[in-house]
Amino acid sequence: MKRTALDYSGFGFKVGKAFNRRKAENNDEYLKIAVKTHDYLESVKVVTEDGIYWNTPGNENKNGSYYNGSAGVLYYYLQLYEITNDDIYLDRISLGADLLHKHWKETVNAAKAVLLEYGIEEDTGIGLSYYSGITGIAEVLIVLYEKFKREKDLQTVIEITDFLVQSARYDSDGGISWASDRTMAYDAGIALYLFHASEFLKDEKLYKLADLAFTQIVNEAIADERGGYAWKSTLHVGVDRVPNFEGGTAGVGYALAAAYKQTGKREYLDAAIEAAKHIKAISVKMGDGFLVPWHDDPNEKPIFYVSNCHGPAGTSKLFYELYKITDNKAYLEDIKGLYRGLRFLNVPEKMSAGYWNSVCVCCGAAGLLQFFINLAIVFADEEFGRDAKDAAEIAAEILIGEQESKAGGREGVWPIAYDRIIPDKIKPEYGYFTGASGISGALLELFLYENGRFALHRLADDPFPESWGNGK
């Protein structure tokens, strides 16, 4: 059946359905595809007198977020520029950052607008958050400043950080919060950023504020009768307990472990260890591995997301951070268990209830590709690491095959079903976690890995090695 570029019919979702695959002709094809994403981004670029931003047609929001807005696109462009040294990508970085300097506050309202689409009228604090709000913008601008030393980037980091300080809410008991819960998507991510900003800006008050926030997070831990600690989540409608990374207990535990490294406070490390215990306590055996349901409800049939935001690619960050701190190799075995659980479900080759018509970083093959590369680096001297490398190449085959089957002849763009509850609603996305910039970013990581040049600017939410052979 011949399809136009905008016709996505006939790509229905079915559990057990195989993803389209094609092997790259050589390692350079990964870079070639990632370069083509620039052409796609040019088609959704919006030029203003203040700079540029990217958006889907008909959407006027100047979304600057790391998750699915300009900051994430800039993160992709930085990867591409460092590999190619092509000034056109430096130009896009400069112009995209310029717009953020003047319009970063608009991301606060853009994030709230997304919630309104789901019928959530209350202010959850999403506009301040690490992924969908202004905190992630500041994180990326710090990386850009360290690379290019543009004073405008530094000034905007200071402005956003001051805004976060002024937005802190204090309760009568001395507790502090910014958002509706303490997860990585919300307060844990903001507080972790403040530790980073304290070091970057050499500002002691930011350190104290972050420390106070993590004390609040520990105080809100819920001892679970099945084992360990959990935390409430408000990220998803009608769901109050999510165990995995972005909006759940694994992410809180990871942030607490990172806070222990900053402060030396044993209660933070103890709480992080309890988070890991909880994750293991509610996990489900899968062959000789295990997986963690995306939603902790024993009365419902479990669904297993497989990638970054609510799957092993994210949850493994908690175990790896604890390993780096404690040198307890049991945490490395837990990471291996998650990987084996994925392979038991025929991931990445086949679709499942938590792995649908999506290949993005958040919930699809791109996030899995990053995860598998991390494992290949960490376990490089083991057969397990070589197996993870093979899985990474399969994930890349899926990214290439899905692009060719769904993109109507275009390269560097991936029409996907971002929303799991509507797995047949397919459209192109440009964001880092949700679309082309992140998918191509993952392919760039594989390009570097296969050429023995792996290097990556990890942000505060990622504990894995920044370069080949960097280990712990």
Side-chain angles (χ1 to χ4, degrees):
M1 178 173 58
K2 184 176 180 180
R3 299 182 176 90
T4 69
L6 299 178
D7 179 11
Y8 306 127
S9 61
F11 293 115
F13 162 74
K14 182 180 179 182
V15 170
K17 180 180 178 180
F19 283 93
N20 295 292
R21 292 168 58 181
R22 180 178 72 76
K23 287 186 178 182
E25 295 179 3
N26 50 50
N27 293 341
D28 288 343
E29 187 170 4
Y30 303 136
L31 175 58
K32 175 186 173 184
I33 294 171
V35 167
K36 286 294 184 180
T37 286
H38 164 68
D39 295 337
Y40 165 61
L41 290 172
E42 291 290 277
S43 73
V44 295
K45 179 183 67 180
V46 181
V47 179
T48 77
E49 62 182 9
D50 294 328
I52 62 174
Y53 66 100
W54 297 266
N55 221 329
T56 51
N59 192 338
E60 299 300 323
N61 286 332
K62 294 182 179 66
N63 179 4
S65 74
Y66 171 41
Y67 187 80
N68 64 339
S70 292
V73 175
L74 297 182
Y75 189 55
Y76 147 80
Y77 270 127
L78 177 61
Q79 291 174 276
L80 192 56
Y81 173 71
E82 290 189 326
I83 293 171
T84 65
N85 289 313
D86 191 325
D87 285 344
I88 192 170
Y89 309 132
L90 180 59
D91 175 75
R92 299 304 183 267
I93 292 169
S94 299
L95 292 174
D98 283 347
L99 188 122
L100 288 177
H101 299 151
K102 293 188 177 181
H103 295 276
W104 60 265
K105 282 187 180 180
E106 293 187 34
T107 295
V108 176
N109 291 327
K112 292 177 184 178
V114 173
L115 292 183
L116 288 174
E117 293 177 6
Y118 289 90
I120 302 174
E121 297 183 3
E122 64 175 304
D123 183 2
T124 68
I126 192 171
L128 305 177
S129 70
Y130 189 92
Y131 293 108
S132 298
I134 59 175
T135 299
I137 296 175
E139 273 278 81
V140 172
L141 287 176
I142 287 176
V143 173
L144 295 182
Y145 176 78
E146 291 174 336
K147 174 70 177 179
F148 303 112
K149 295 297 187 288
R150 294 200 330 161
E151 287 299 316
K152 291 187 290 186
D153 294 337
L154 174 60
Q155 184 57 41
T156 302
V157 169
I158 293 171
E159 291 175 7
I160 292 174
T161 304
D162 287 345
F163 190 86
L164 290 171
V165 171
Q166 296 301 319
S167 299
R169 303 180 299 202
Y170 297 84
D171 63 30
S172 58
D173 297 325
I176 184 174
S177 65
W178 287 269
S180 55
D181 66 45
R182 312 301 152 242
T183 61
M184 190 65 200
Y186 290 127
D187 280 8
I190 295 171
L192 196 57
Y193 162 75
L194 289 176
F195 273 137
H196 185 196
S198 173
E199 182 178 354
F200 174 69
L201 298 172
K202 296 179 171 49
D203 188 337
E204 183 68 17
K205 76 174 183 294
L206 302 178
Y207 178 96
K208 293 178 179 179
L209 193 62
D211 189 21
L212 183 61
F214 277 109
T215 298
Q216 174 80 3
I217 289 170
V218 170
N219 290 340
E220 292 189 19
I222 303 168
D224 191 283
E225 60 183 11
R226 294 164 294 181
Y229 292 168
W231 281 263
K232 289 183 178 179
S233 172
T234 61
L235 190 62
H236 295 274
V237 178
V239 176
D240 63 0
R241 189 80 68 82
V242 179
N244 290 294
F245 193 79
E246 181 183 323
T249 293
V252 177
Y254 165 76
L256 283 163
Y260 165 77
K261 290 166 63 176
Q262 291 285 336
T263 66
K265 288 190 174 181
R266 182 70 200 195
E267 59 264 35
Y268 295 164
L269 178 58
D270 289 342
I273 290 171
E274 291 298 321
K277 288 180 181 177
H278 179 69
I279 293 297
K280 290 296 296 295
I282 68 169
S283 66
V284 178
K285 183 175 174 57
M286 294 281 173
D288 59 352
F290 67 93
L291 290 174
V292 184
W294 89 271
H295 176 204
D296 181 20
D297 187 341
N299 296 317
E300 292 185 5
K301 183 179 178 179
I303 293 175
F304 303 99
Y305 280 41
V306 304
S307 196
N308 187 74
C309 293
H310 295 289
T315 300
S316 64
K317 296 175 183 178
L318 167 61
F319 294 127
Y320 191 65
E321 186 75 334
L322 287 174
Y323 163 69
K324 291 200 302 183
I325 293 170
T326 67
D327 207 31
N328 184 344
K329 289 183 171 56
Y331 293 121
L332 293 183
E333 293 303 313
D334 290 333
I335 295 173
K336 291 180 179 180
L338 289 168
Y339 173 82
R340 290 170 178 142
L342 289 175
R343 300 303 281 143
F344 183 79
L345 280 188
N346 294 312
V347 173
E349 293 92 335
K350 294 185 178 181
M351 298 181 187
S352 63
Y355 181 40
W356 55 104
N357 269 335
S358 177
V359 293
C360 63
V361 167
C362 175
C363 45
L368 288 164
L369 174 56
Q370 294 174 325
F371 177 48
F372 297 149
I373 294 172
N374 290 339
L375 300 189
I377 292 172
V378 170
F379 300 102
D381 297 329
E382 302 179 25
E383 180 64 31
F384 181 84
R386 290 185 283 275
D387 190 73
K389 174 182 177 292
D390 292 341
E393 291 174 350
I394 293 171
E397 291 173 16
I398 290 168
L399 296 180
I400 296 172
E402 286 292 301
Q403 171 200 251
E404 292 181 347
S405 67
K406 292 190 174 80
R410 294 176 296 173
E411 292 183 282
V413 56
W414 287 263
I416 65 169
Y418 173 66
D419 196 332
R420 183 185 65 81
I421 63 174
I422 316 176
D424 293 331
K425 183 181 178 181
I426 300 175
K427 64 177 182 176
E429 300 281 353
Y430 71 92
Y432 192 84
F433 280 81
T434 60
S437 57
I439 295 169
S440 278
L443 288 171
L444 289 174
E445 291 181 37
L446 184 58
F447 169 79
L448 292 170
Y449 174 87
E450 296 282 22
N451 285 282
R453 298 165 48 195
F454 185 84
L456 185 66
H457 297 279
R458 303 279 186 184
L459 301 188
D461 67 334
D462 193 342
F464 284 101
E466 286 198 325
S467 60
W468 179 268
N470 199 22
K472 291 171 63 178

